[in-house]
Amino acid sequence: MKFMQLERKTGVVIPLAALYDEAECAIGDFLSLKPFADFCTQCNLTLIQLLPVNDTGTQSSPYSGLSANALHPLYIRISALPEFSAALEQDKSFASAYRAFCKQFKKASLRFDYDKLLTEKTKLLHLLYSFIEKKYAREGTANATSLSKELTAFIKANKWVVTYAVYKNLKDVHNQASWKEWDKSLQSLTRDQIQLRWSNRALKSSHQFFVWCQMRAAAQFADAADYVRSKGITLKGDIPILMNEDSADAWAYKDFFDHSMRAGAPPSGDSPMGQNWGFPTYNWNMLAADNYSWWKERVQTAARYYGAFRIDHILGFFRIWAVNEKESTAYLGHTQPYNSIPRTQFEALGFDKDRLKWLSEPHIPTGLIEDITWNHDEAHYMLSLIADRIGNEELWNFKADITSDSQIYAAHFSDDEGKDARVKEALCIKWRDRALIQIEKDRFIRVWSYGNSTAWKSLSWDEQQRLNQLFAKNDETESALWKQQALDVLTPIVNASDMIPCAEDLGAAFSAVPEVLEQLNINSLCVIRWCRAWSEQGQPFVPFAQYRPQSVATTSVHDSSTLRQWWTGEKDAVRAYLNLWNDGDKNPLFENAAPIHAEDAFSPEVAQFLLQSAADCASAWYVNPLQDYLFLDQSYYLDNPDDERINVPGTCNTFNWTYRMPCSIQELSKNETLISKIQGIASKHQSLPGGNR
């Protein structure tokens, strides 16, 4: 692949729903992109990045896709549909419901009610489609034939919509329950059987409703995307790496997923138990056997709207952190793919069968439970329910049929609820207490945090060194394995369209990552607050001139705190950032401007300093959240800075993903002072040659 010299672009990131457009009530929709593009043109911003806009069903997270290709009907502007005017005039039920909807959801709060909005907008769409069917059936007009031809053409160009429509109908039939809770016969429909159900005349109306929604959503999005493009602005999309377990794709293409495993992240300082995201991992062998057609279709569908796309969690294409679906934590997960170590290699280092058992199987001392029960016999009884005693020792191993901590939590040890809970927690902690996992017969992998295990701490320094050398050698083999998988998988994905690929490469990176990104011409991501020399004393920030030119720099991401929260809550980091300039807490950017000090309260002046200073980065693209730009005008500051966040990882509530702009797009477009400040930031970044300074 040839090197691609990127044009320098400055842009903005926004969840589509967050756009507040005076022309439409409730939330931002596809057509809200038009006035927003006008605002960006005023500001000299040349890129708009959206969070995913796929249908997520009852889940508010845009990264919890119910479909890999279907757009979210929530983003349809009902008043712009070709059938709207006639329905408003001729159908009293629809007209009444629409007026009530507008009254109920006209902007009234900082965040929107996803569940209520989804319910009410879906009802409106059903009412409108019902009007269409009744009108055409009654009048027998040519319009009915025209609509039928439209639907047929859309289905032909979007074959995925058949599976999606059948799935959505079944979700309605089962009151939105997961497909794993449906009748067994419906859980395991083959693709041919799905096609037969699609052809069922009794279900035609229901199926075509979902096709109609997708057809109209696609038309509105394409219209908006064309408008954005006509303004000289690149529209950048976001393709999540994973699919929700409860999705049309995981249901219909079971062979492409490993439903026995869940994706997540390994243990870290912030997450000592790791992260279990709840999404199934991929069966890459089956995807490869199908020439990655499923992934190619995702990318090609997105390319109808976007000129660039973000590849979510690109490290997962190298290796994903996989956890047994029944584990409550991700602590005992492992990478997929992995390179296991055979028993013979351990034996060659002096670790016989018993030593390997000690390293790979938790050994439970009777005293662990006796400290809770204060009764030796009761402790023995409880342990016997779930473990086997080792000879006459006061040590136990979990029974062979215990394969996850969920079985421990499901056991009943005592009628005393408090004691029962304490015993379970103690046993689950012990369940994770191992240095190795026997992943296959006579083959082992190490636990990510193996150094914390009782078994590891019992080894001599020499034994630990021997094993660490073995692990280091295995790491080299695994790194090569991960690099090859990434090349195998990402090559067809990035070549499936003309979109410019951009990686979200945050996390525990390894040497193969930058090599593959460079080889495949993929932009990396530089989150400025995390671009630091972490291994050096003081962990200084990386100078902007040293950023990889083929990268996207940003002040914040949707999972992080805002710029305002960062300045207020991480003063040590702020001081380190200011040390990028040798004059200390000075303002080297604006002549005659007051110096910027780490202890200063956050203000528009601080925001301008941070945004304009980072505009000096060598990254070809500099793209920041809308919130960080709005900090240039104090009138947009919310009373509680936490309300300006989009998502707080590790939490599940109605707050996440429901952020709305504190003012309308139309109001922003009249704010000449704000526009001028953003223009200055954009001009500074775009006037610099990438990295050649």
Side-chain angles (χ1 to χ4, degrees):
M1 185 177 292
K2 295 181 180 179
F3 175 74
M4 175 175 54
Q5 183 65 49
L6 287 175
E7 177 187 357
R8 287 180 75 84
K9 290 181 176 291
T10 315
V12 59
V13 184
I14 186 76
L16 183 60
L19 293 176
Y20 173 24
D21 183 357
E22 293 174 3
E24 181 63 14
C25 59
I27 60 170
D29 56 32
F30 292 122
L31 297 180
S32 299
L33 283 169
K34 289 186 173 184
F36 191 64
D38 291 337
F39 167 72
C40 290
T41 299
Q42 290 177 274
C43 297
N44 199 26
L45 296 175
T46 53
L47 187 145
I48 297 173
Q49 178 178 329
L50 299 178
L51 270 59
V53 294
N54 295 86
D55 188 357
T56 58
T58 58
Q59 301 295 314
S60 61
S61 169
Y63 294 93
S64 187
L66 183 142
S67 169
N69 295 289
L71 298 171
H72 207 315
L74 205 56
Y75 301 134
I76 295 173
R77 181 170 296 185
I78 292 177
S79 61
L81 293 172
E83 301 91 351
F84 173 78
S85 295
L88 193 66
E89 181 182 335
Q90 301 171 29
D91 190 318
K92 291 182 179 179
S93 295
F94 172 78
S96 175
Y98 179 75
R99 293 188 182 102
F101 176 86
C102 292
K103 183 178 180 180
Q104 180 179 8
F105 291 106
K106 198 66 180 174
K107 180 176 172 65
S109 61
L110 297 175
R111 308 188 89 85
F112 61 90
D113 187 328
Y114 179 87
D115 292 338
K116 183 182 290 186
L117 180 60
L118 177 65
T119 298
E120 297 305 318
K121 195 158 190 176
T122 302
K123 286 180 183 177
L124 271 182
L125 289 168
H126 273 292
L127 282 171
L128 182 53
Y129 190 71
S130 177
F131 163 77
I132 296 168
E133 287 191 315
K134 290 175 183 175
K135 177 180 174 64
Y136 291 165
R138 182 175 63 251
E139 299 177 0
T141 63
N143 287 335
T145 302
S146 175
L147 178 62
S148 178
K149 288 181 178 179
E150 272 191 278
L151 291 169
T152 300
F154 185 80
I155 293 165
K156 185 177 181 181
N158 300 272
K159 293 184 169 54
W160 53 265
V161 80
V162 169
T163 295
Y164 168 78
V166 171
Y167 181 78
K168 289 282 281 189
N169 166 253
L170 285 169
K171 289 283 285 183
D172 281 354
V173 168
H174 292 88
N175 199 28
Q176 304 308 314
S178 166
W179 63 266
K180 291 197 170 182
E181 298 175 26
W182 301 350
D183 295 336
K184 292 291 184 183
S185 60
L186 295 174
Q187 289 182 26
S188 55
L189 291 183
T190 65
R191 291 166 206 170
D192 287 342
Q193 289 170 326
I194 291 172
Q195 189 66 43
L196 282 173
R197 189 173 178 87
W198 160 260
S199 303
N200 187 326
R201 286 181 173 272
L203 300 173
K204 181 178 179 180
S205 175
S206 172
H207 290 158
Q208 290 206 332
F209 164 73
F210 296 113
V211 177
W212 172 78
C213 285
Q214 286 304 305
M215 181 175 72
R216 295 301 186 226
Q220 288 190 358
F221 195 17
D223 178 34
D226 287 344
Y227 186 84
V228 171
R229 196 176 300 111
S230 73
K231 294 290 181 177
I233 297 173
T234 296
L235 189 61
K236 180 184 174 186
D238 192 338
I239 299 183
I241 179 175
L242 299 166
M243 293 301 304
N244 195 319
E245 176 188 31
D246 185 22
S247 64
D249 302 84
W251 168 68
Y253 301 97
K254 296 180 185 66
D255 47 338
F256 290 165
F257 298 87
D258 184 348
H259 287 278
S260 69
M261 304 300 286
R262 295 291 175 268
S268 65
D270 294 334
S271 304
M273 292 295 105
Q275 298 175 34
N276 186 333
W277 300 331
F279 300 141
T281 60
Y282 287 110
N283 185 333
W284 288 115
N285 289 334
M286 292 301 297
L287 284 159
D290 195 51
N291 199 27
Y292 300 102
S293 61
W294 182 83
W295 264 102
K296 290 177 182 177
E297 184 179 52
R298 287 187 78 181
V299 173
Q300 289 161 357
T301 299
R304 298 173 185 174
Y305 315 107
Y306 303 118
F309 70 112
R310 172 184 180 271
I311 306 175
D312 176 46
H313 188 53
I314 201 167
L315 298 186
F317 291 92
F318 291 76
R319 87 292 182 271
I320 199 77
W321 188 251
V323 188
N324 183 321
E325 63 167 335
K326 295 178 180 177
E327 282 287 324
S328 64
T329 77
Y331 190 87
L332 293 179
H334 58 80
T335 61
Q336 279 186 341
Y338 58 81
N339 185 62
S340 58
I341 303 172
R343 180 184 294 273
T344 53
Q345 289 190 23
F346 288 101
E347 290 174 342
L349 296 177
F351 294 89
D352 60 17
K353 180 180 179 181
D354 289 338
R355 301 300 301 285
L356 278 174
K357 185 179 179 71
W358 170 246
L359 288 165
S360 62
E361 293 188 33
H363 286 59
I364 316 162
T366 305
L368 179 73
I369 306 304
E370 196 171 348
D371 286 346
I372 298 172
T373 64
W374 292 98
N375 185 303
H376 181 77
D377 291 339
E378 187 179 9
H380 265 245
Y381 167 72
M382 290 180 172
L383 284 165
S384 69
L385 298 176
I386 206 163
D388 295 321
R389 191 176 179 186
I390 304 172
N392 294 321
E393 297 184 65
E394 293 296 341
L395 277 177
W396 305 68
N397 290 134
F398 286 102
K399 292 180 182 294
D401 60 355
I402 302 297
T403 58
S404 70
D405 64 359
S406 63
Q407 293 166 281
I408 300 173
Y409 283 120
H412 178 74
F413 296 100
S414 171
D415 291 333
D416 181 330
E417 291 185 7
K419 183 190 294 184
D420 191 68
R422 291 194 300 275
V423 169
K424 288 178 180 178
E425 191 58 35
L427 288 171
C428 284
I429 290 173
K430 201 62 184 172
W431 171 255
R432 297 188 288 269
D433 185 14
R434 60 185 86 190
L436 300 176
I437 298 172
Q438 186 167 209
I439 193 78
E440 303 163 26
K441 180 177 172 56
D442 292 328
R443 300 191 74 89
F444 301 82
I445 57 174
R446 72 177 186 270
V447 173
W448 187 268
S449 301
Y450 64 93
N452 295 330
S453 66
T454 299
W456 181 264
K457 292 175 182 176
S458 73
L459 299 180
S460 69
W461 182 87
D462 180 63
E463 288 174 321
Q464 291 179 356
Q465 287 299 104
R466 277 183 274 153
L467 286 177
N468 278 329
Q469 289 172 6
L470 176 63
F471 295 157
K473 184 177 180 181
N474 192 64
D475 286 346
E476 294 177 7
T477 304
E478 264 189 347
S479 184
L481 188 66
W482 298 340
K483 180 178 181 179
Q484 190 57 54
Q485 169 162 294
L487 288 170
D488 290 344
V489 174
L490 289 171
T491 299
I493 289 175
V494 300
N495 287 338
S497 76
D498 291 330
M499 289 190 295
I500 297 171
C502 305
E504 186 275 284
D505 53 335
L506 304 177
F510 37 92
S511 60
V513 175
E515 294 171 5
V516 170
L517 296 190
E518 185 170 354
Q519 185 172 339
L520 296 183
N521 219 13
I522 301 174
N523 296 334
S524 56
L525 177 64
C526 299
V527 183
I528 290 160
R529 68 181 68 177
W530 298 326
C531 281
R532 302 174 67 171
W534 295 102
S535 60
E536 295 182 17
Q537 185 176 2
Q539 299 175 335
F541 278 78
V542 175
F544 293 130
Q546 294 179 18
Y547 280 25
R548 180 179 180 235
Q550 195 167 350
S551 67
V552 181
T554 185
T555 50
S556 313
V557 295
H558 59 260
D559 283 335
S560 77
S561 58
T562 63
L563 204 54
R564 179 184 177 190
Q565 288 176 307
W566 176 75
W567 179 271
T568 303
E570 298 185 41
K571 285 301 183 184
D572 287 343
V574 168
R575 292 187 190 94
Y577 182 85
L578 292 175
N579 285 335
L580 275 175
W581 295 275
N582 294 328
D583 337 5
D585 291 358
K586 297 285 172 116
N587 187 340
L589 299 174
F590 312 113
E591 190 175 354
N592 299 322
I596 298 293
H597 300 281
E599 303 309 319
D600 291 347
F602 191 79
S603 65
E605 291 72 30
V606 169
Q608 187 171 11
F609 167 80
L610 293 173
L611 288 163
Q612 191 132 356
S613 63
D616 195 42
C617 64
S619 301
W621 289 359
Y622 178 46
V623 186
N624 303 309
L626 178 66
Q627 298 96 306
D628 287 358
Y629 285 119
L630 294 183
F631 293 142
L632 295 167
D633 186 327
Q634 195 147 8
S635 68
Y636 300 134
Y637 288 26
L638 300 183
D639 292 339
N640 184 353
D642 294 344
D643 289 334
E644 291 158 343
R645 280 195 71 151
I646 292 174
N647 177 53
V648 181
T651 64
C652 185
N653 49 48
T654 57
F655 172 91
N656 289 335
W657 312 110
T658 59
Y659 168 77
R660 291 203 74 189
M661 294 168 56
C663 62
S664 70
I665 303 168
Q666 288 76 10
E667 180 184 332
L668 282 185
S669 298
K670 298 173 184 175
N671 191 327
E672 295 181 2
T673 301
L674 175 68
I675 290 169
S676 177
K677 288 181 179 180
I678 298 176
Q679 283 176 345
I681 293 163
S683 297
K684 185 172 189 291
H685 175 254
Q686 292 167 24
S687 66
L688 298 169
N692 299 319
R693 302 192 305 287

